[in-house]
Amino acid sequence: MTTTTDPQDAGRTAELAQRLSAVRQRILHAAEGRAPERAHGGELPSLVVVTKFFPAQDVLRLRELGVRAVGENKDQEAGPKAAEVAETLARQEPPVSPPAWHFVGQLQSNKAKHVVKYASWVHSVDRPSLVTALGKAVRSHRNAALAGDARPAPCDDVDLPCLVQVNLDPVAEPDGHRGGAHPGTVLELARTLEGTEGLRVGGVMAVAPLGAEPREAFETLWKLSQDVQREFPDARAISAGMSADLEAAVAAGATHVRIGSDVLGPRPAVR
Ligand SMILES: *Cc1c(COP(=O)(O)O)cnc(C)c1O
């Protein structure tokens, strides 16, 4: 794939390889310790490497190292990066398939039409108005693609899997929308997703609240996931766990972990 003789470049790839391998070991180890009912038949949690703040070159290196899923939290950054990665990989001989892009950040409804151009998953659906916007965006992208006016996107062929992001902050207000839906509204939002043409409910997602024990938060997420799966058996995804709490998330039954800094290194502090 990307062949280079630049020693700095080779150094970065080696560094990523080493960090990636350590994270994969942690996932394996954590998965071995899972209780049987949280082990998903022995299937390992999927690793989504969150590449926000790092360049397309790093995504290409990760792809070379076998990473198949990457996460981003801002459309302004993800859109151009996904396009650059796709173009570079398509030029390779033989062409390499791009990674799946998982959108994991707060999403404004007016950005939905951009995100559906590259995203294979959206982890951060937390309100009905965003469901409406995403459904509309998928349907209009499909029409444009059929008319030859848009490049193919993952949502042209399959309904876009969306996760209900839950706010697990113990003092969450029912209408406080920063970073997730109130736990009491999760099932309703799952129904809205499933009832929207072009979308499907894939499961649930959360970020452990600051200053709280992640184990408790992920336990709540697990219970909410069970509620959702009773009505939507295919909505099995539980996206939980970042660099600092990967182990707690996997123990609680996470199917997807979103790891940034432990693979890519520290991000600049201001964002
Ligand atoms: C940045 C980010 C991550 C990765 O966080 P790290 O602590 O760097 O592993 C995971 N999930 C979301 C929603 C993020 O924004």
Side-chain angles (χ1 to χ4, degrees):
M1 294 196 9
T2 3
T3 44
T4 173
T5 49
D6 180 350
Q8 229 182 354
D9 196 78
R12 177 62 172 159
T13 303
E15 180 193 336
L16 290 176
Q18 195 173 34
R19 288 170 166 277
L20 187 61
S21 151
V23 166
R24 284 181 173 146
Q25 284 300 323
R26 283 171 64 195
I27 294 173
L28 263 175
H29 189 253
E32 277 166 8
R34 290 179 295 188
E37 70 276 13
R38 311 259 173 137
H40 308 286
E43 200 175 315
L44 282 181
S46 300
L47 170 61
V48 178
V49 180
V50 181
T51 48
K52 64 187 185 202
F53 227 89
F54 289 91
Q57 267 306 320
D58 276 346
V59 179
L60 292 167
R61 293 184 179 103
L62 291 165
R63 186 71 192 85
E64 196 176 352
L65 296 168
V67 168
R68 284 190 300 248
V70 293
E72 289 284 336
N73 74 337
K74 285 202 164 57
D75 172 64
Q76 305 92 290
E77 182 181 343
K81 209 187 285 186
E84 186 181 340
V85 167
E87 278 161 30
T88 308
L89 291 175
R91 278 199 306 269
Q92 296 191 356
E93 204 44 66
V96 175
S97 64
W101 294 85
H102 292 236
F103 194 86
V104 303
Q106 284 293 289
L107 181 53
Q108 289 169 349
S109 296
N110 62 6
K111 297 283 166 56
K113 58 182 181 294
H114 300 305
V115 168
V116 301
K117 291 180 186 173
Y118 54 87
S120 289
W121 288 69
V122 177
H123 289 227
S124 44
V125 174
D126 61 359
R127 58 195 192 279
S129 57
L130 180 56
V131 177
T132 306
L134 282 166
K136 198 173 150 200
V138 166
R139 295 190 302 273
S140 85
H141 194 279
R142 286 174 176 176
N143 287 334
L146 273 178
D149 294 337
R151 295 182 187 205
C155 68
D156 295 336
D157 303 320
V158 290
D159 289 346
L160 183 67
C162 295
L163 309 186
V164 178
Q165 181 177 354
V166 193
N167 183 352
L168 296 174
D169 198 316
V171 294
E173 295 294 324
D175 56 356
H177 278 138
R178 276 186 56 86
H182 186 272
T185 65
V186 168
L187 199 53
E188 201 179 300
L189 208 48
R191 289 179 187 134
T192 308
L193 270 171
E194 193 65 23
T196 301
E197 192 189 335
L199 310 180
R200 75 171 181 90
V201 59
V204 294
M205 177 274 210
V207 176
L210 279 178
E213 177 54 50
R215 229 160 253 285
E216 281 171 34
F218 294 147
E219 196 55 35
T220 306
L221 187 64
W222 164 265
K223 289 190 183 123
L224 288 166
S225 167
Q226 300 298 104
D227 294 343
V228 170
Q229 287 183 65
R230 261 191 292 282
E231 204 165 312
F232 306 105
D234 291 338
R236 285 187 299 262
I238 303 177
S239 168
M242 315 192 348
S243 293
D245 52 26
L246 178 164
E247 281 79 6
V250 172
T255 62
H256 293 71
V257 292
R258 310 177 308 269
I259 310 298
S261 41
D262 278 1
V263 172
L264 288 136
R267 289 183 291 274
V270 192
R271 203 182 143 72

